[in-house]
Amino acid sequence: MGTKYIFVTGGVVSSVGKGITTAAIGRLLKSRGISVVIQKLDPYLNVDPGTMSPYQHGEVFVTADGAETDLDLGHYERFLDQDLSGLSSVTAGQIYQAVIAKERRGDYLGRTIQAVPHVTNEIKERIRAVARESGAQVVVVEVGGTVGDIEGQPFLEAIRQMRNEEGREDTLSIHVTFLPYLATTGELKTKPTQHSVRELRSLGIQPDVIICRSDRPVGEDLREKISLFCDVPKQAVVPLLTMPTIYEVPLVLEEAGLTDYILQRLCLPFSQRDLHEWQEWVSRLKSPTGEVNISLVGKYVELPDAYLSVREALIHAAVAHQVAVSIRWVHAQEMERPGAESLLEDADGILVPGGFGDRGIEGKIRAVRFARERGVPYLGLCLGMQLMVVEYARHVLGWEDAHSTEFDADTPYPVICLLAEQEGVTEKGGTMRLGSYPCRLRPGTRAHAAYGAEMASERHRHRYEFNRDYEKILTASGLRITGETPDGTYVEICELAGHPWFLGCQFHPEFKSKPLEPHPLFRAFIGAAIEHRQRRQAEARALSVPSSHGG
């Protein structure tokens, strides 16, 4: 049996939920014993999102092999519970770059280079490449953007061609649309979906399945209407109501019969579903026995997608402790104002994530100091670890001008400096220290206790690092290096002795966290935050108990 391909497109509006739907489809197929890989086709001309502002694109997700990718790959990995490679992320920029490079080398033997067949052939080759590398039975391909976008047309044309080349029995087209609700008439409208399908059909693609996103229940009459006007069997018109949590989407689609329909349509073997663990996890997520407050101090907090994997990692860890996590989004610049410590007063734990640029840096340092002096559990990710070192140098060692050379090239105490391998690097795209690297953990430390192992492999995305020229004096008074590269070149984890839980890591553990396998550092951090909350509550109760002695 050859590889099967499922193509997922979107219509009516952007941000309709294609990424989550695609991830959920992957999870459902995997639950039936089918091997799956997912690929994202992004029509933008950037080679990758690595140089894009979070305001434009949300977080940049990094794969184990060092590819800077769309945040949807994070959803894919979390739902599939498996790692993906850079082949799972394809952009128009990569496609055109490859085609032009081939033309410059003379690979096309003087032929005129055109969108069809040269661009479309390159797209098809990328899709088939991920199938070859993974050996998966099914490749699920999500096309970014909305049907009708000019930049997406070459990708849709490539899909049209693949459906003919691979055969209709080996390909499936799923179209995700939105049913808007009109309050004035009190009804959901199907006309935008009809227009979207008509646009898709005009490009030569007849959808086999239509998934109808909606904020309100979709009645049988609407399913019949969509089936009639869009030429899709009624059982293939699948309602997808907005759910309280994205992790319910696979369960909703399974209940609607989508998995059985896909297996039947693609002639895949039927097997008993295995969603028990997922169902149990979702049940725990929806029925917490307590709560914990985590203050996340960042510069993009008005756009939570900039910290998407961090948010999900906190959720995974909280469910492991059977509590709900309440994330308090604290803007780093707000922390620079007088009295800003009040923003952190009710924090059970404080987290400073990664980032670039000097905006809000002093506010983040102030948050680190608050956590250190007040005994609040702290987790610093990448930049969050670097600022932990800067804060320690300034306020414990008394080096008021200590800084990272990223923000102050002339600092007399460059406790954070440019990686040696980054010297002379001028291009921005894909030139950082990227992907998975090993880390040796020091026994008897919080990091070692969290992992329960002496070695770990974690994903990186940075240019600056702990300056080991200052190691002896920094570690002489309480700062501890508890994780480093096996050859001892780079510092990977720092902790603070004598603090309930104070840890920073140079890597991005959030990229490896999965619902059924929360990351060890996040799990330990949430555990410490729960203990801190319980201590504070016990102290508050003790203060509220009236004295038994007469006055």
Side-chain angles (χ1 to χ4, degrees), residues 368-406:
V368 176
R369 184 176 187 178
F370 180 94
R372 180 179 58 80
E373 294 182 343
R374 300 288 189 93
V376 181
Y378 174 80
L379 176 60
L381 311 177
C382 195
L383 177 63
M385 186 205 88
Q386 295 172 5
L387 297 182
M388 163 184 165
V389 175
V390 171
E391 191 281 327
Y392 188 85
R394 286 185 183 182
H395 303 121
V396 176
L397 299 182
W399 301 344
E400 294 182 3
D401 296 324
H403 220 319
S404 164
T405 55
E406 179 180 3

Side-chain angles (χ1 to χ4, degrees), residues 236-256:
V237 179
V238 180
L240 180 54
L241 192 65
T242 301
M243 305 305 297
T245 167
I246 59 173
Y247 297 107
E248 284 190 83
V249 173
L251 305 178
V252 173
L253 295 179
E254 174 69 22
E255 187 66 25

Side-chain angles (χ1 to χ4, degrees), residues 458-471:
E458 295 288 354
R459 302 182 194 181
H460 296 67
R461 185 175 184 250
H462 64 111
R463 297 186 193 278
Y464 292 81
E465 178 62 279
F466 184 104
N467 188 343
R468 302 205 83 149
D469 290 345
Y470 292 88
E471 178 179 351

